Amino acid sequence: MLTLRQTRYGSILLEPDLTHGKKIGLVNELLNIMFGDICQNTVSIEQGQRVENLMLKLRVVLCRIATPAVSIRIPSLGLHPKLYFYKDHRFQVTSFLAWFSIVCEIEEDCFEIQNKKLDFIGFTRARRGVESLIEKIPVAIKETVGKFGSGIRSHERLKNVYQAFICIGLNIDLDFEDEVCLNTVILSMSQSFDYINFNDFYLERFGGDYDESIVDDVVSFVKSVRPSKKKKPLNFSIATKRNLYQREEKKTWSYCEVCDSALYLESTEVDHRESKAEGGYGIIENGAIIHPICNRFKSDRDLDEVRADLFE
């Protein structure tokens, strides 16, 4: 059976540019892209089988990206790593994760463009155009990474750029020597991504004639798939609680924000200053370390309301 090590993924894990920590983060993010929180809830009597199933699904997507010729059961796209995942001979984690996410959605039959499902044959129709866009307008990739950062944290933004490339590739027979085609591409991208100044990049060649319907289609599609800002968490994460306690441990004495009495940190709880019921989030600025009895008294009320009830 083909192992993960035999896929392109196995080679990536051996990249000298990636530290051990980055490799672990990459593996974790691949699973998060595919399964979200599912992979974090595998503690059961069938844990081993569940993990194996997750890894088999992961293997399928990785094989779709690039697989040695020994595999005949999972036809590969054979994406050329030098074009898709590398820049200046350095492996780009952001690009790899972005394309992994796209291939994963196509594999799961949930990648849509203009209300039509895109399968691997559909992607193949757009592929020549996509690769031309990657090669001809690297400014789109460069400025996206420059604005949102490289690595794991920005792959959704770069994925959005590649989705636009696919949409353009399906709608236009790309010819960068054709003025109308070039202008249509420039306007499609510049109106979809206002942080990238495509007009300046191609200022000398920009003529003005373009296909308005294609521009509108691309802009509309990009808007529909643009990643939304992540919502602030309602509950406190383990890391947030740890930061709150570390801040208090530096003090000689800590005091309860409800009753103003001294805190024994090993017998305390973290609660919201502004309650969740009133829209408070589980962020460090909204965290208060208090006595357990004070937490029960506070319930889902705001801190100011509780103190007024206690002292007035």
Side-chain angles (χ1 to χ4, degrees):
M1 185 177 76
L2 185 71
T3 65
L4 287 180
R5 189 178 183 85
Q6 290 174 286
T7 67
R8 177 63 200 160
Y9 176 66
S11 300
I12 287 170
L13 283 183
L14 299 177
E15 281 293 329
D17 292 336
L18 291 181
T19 64
H20 183 64
K22 288 182 178 179
K23 292 174 184 177
I24 293 175
L26 175 58
V27 173
N28 184 66
E29 190 61 24
L30 291 175
L31 292 172
N32 284 337
I33 289 171
M34 291 194 70
F35 311 113
D37 295 332
I38 295 176
C39 58
Q40 300 178 17
N41 300 312
T42 59
V43 180
S44 70
I45 194 170
E46 299 176 345
Q47 182 182 29
Q49 183 62 49
R50 189 178 182 87
V51 171
E52 182 180 356
N53 291 339
L54 294 178
M55 296 305 291
L56 286 174
K57 291 181 181 179
L58 174 60
R59 168 181 169 269
V60 169
V61 178
L62 293 169
C63 286
R64 288 291 190 194
I65 293 174
T67 311
V70 295
S71 175
I72 59 175
R73 298 181 61 186
I74 306 174
S76 170
L77 291 167
L79 302 184
H80 199 300
K82 185 176 180 180
L83 179 63
Y84 285 85
F85 311 137
Y86 281 77
K87 180 183 178 183
D88 300 327
H89 307 291
R90 292 178 63 88
F91 174 64
Q92 303 295 310
V93 173
T94 316
S95 290
F96 177 73
L97 290 174
W99 279 111
F100 177 89
S101 182
I102 289 172
V103 173
C104 179
E105 288 186 11
I106 298 175
E107 177 68 31
E108 296 293 327
D109 196 30
C110 59
F111 190 100
E112 292 188 1
I113 290 184
Q114 298 164 332
N115 299 317
K116 294 181 180 179
K117 292 286 181 65
L118 184 77
D119 57 15
F120 288 114
I121 298 301
F123 173 75
T124 300
R125 293 191 182 99
R127 181 170 172 175
R128 182 177 64 176
V130 170
E131 294 182 356
S132 294
L133 291 165
I134 292 174
E135 184 179 6
K136 298 293 186 181
I137 53 172
V139 64
I141 300 169
K142 179 180 178 181
E143 293 198 16
T144 298
V145 173
K147 179 176 177 63
F148 297 104
S150 61
I152 290 174
R153 64 181 179 274
S154 62
H155 72 83
E156 288 185 350
R157 294 291 182 173
L158 190 55
K159 172 187 174 183
N160 205 202
V161 171
Y162 291 142
Q163 287 171 315
F165 284 178
I166 294 173
C167 187
I168 292 172
L170 288 171
N171 282 281
I172 307 175
D173 186 11
L174 285 173
D175 178 4
F176 283 89
E177 298 301 319
D178 180 79
E179 183 180 282
V180 174
C181 176
L182 179 61
N183 292 340
T184 300
V185 171
I186 294 171
L187 284 176
S188 295
M189 295 298 292
S190 62
Q191 290 186 18
S192 298
F193 306 95
D194 56 10
Y195 58 86
I196 305 176
N197 196 341
F198 289 95
N199 292 353
D200 283 352
F201 188 74
Y202 287 110
L203 187 60
E204 294 181 358
R205 300 176 64 182
F206 191 83
D209 294 331
Y210 62 94
D211 190 319
E212 184 177 0
S213 63
I214 292 179
V215 172
D216 290 343
D217 285 345
V218 174
V219 172
S220 176
F221 167 67
V222 170
K223 184 177 180 180
S224 71
V225 297
R226 179 173 290 126
S228 58
K229 293 182 179 179
K230 291 185 177 180
K231 295 181 179 180
K232 295 179 181 179
L234 293 177
N235 298 317
F236 294 103
S237 67
I238 294 175
T240 300
K241 290 181 179 180
R242 182 169 59 246
N243 289 336
L244 283 166
Y245 277 105
Q246 287 175 346
R247 187 171 62 183
E248 293 300 319
E249 287 169 353
K250 295 178 181 179
K251 302 176 182 178
T252 304
W253 289 96
S254 296
Y255 298 93
C256 176
E257 295 193 32
V258 172
C259 70
D260 293 335
S261 301
L263 287 173
Y264 175 48
L265 292 179
E266 294 186 18
S267 182
T268 56
E269 295 177 349
V270 175
D271 196 43
H272 299 70
R273 286 193 174 92
E274 181 183 7
S275 68
K276 288 192 289 185
E278 297 296 327
Y281 295 107
I283 56 178
I284 194 166
E285 295 82 5
N286 195 42
I289 298 178
I290 59 181
H291 298 117
I293 191 69
C294 293
N295 196 8
R296 304 302 179 275
F297 174 65
K298 177 180 177 295
S299 187
D300 60 354
R301 296 180 293 172
D302 288 344
L303 191 60
D304 291 341
E305 180 185 350
V306 175
R307 287 180 59 83
D309 189 16
L310 188 63
F311 294 114
E312 295 180 4

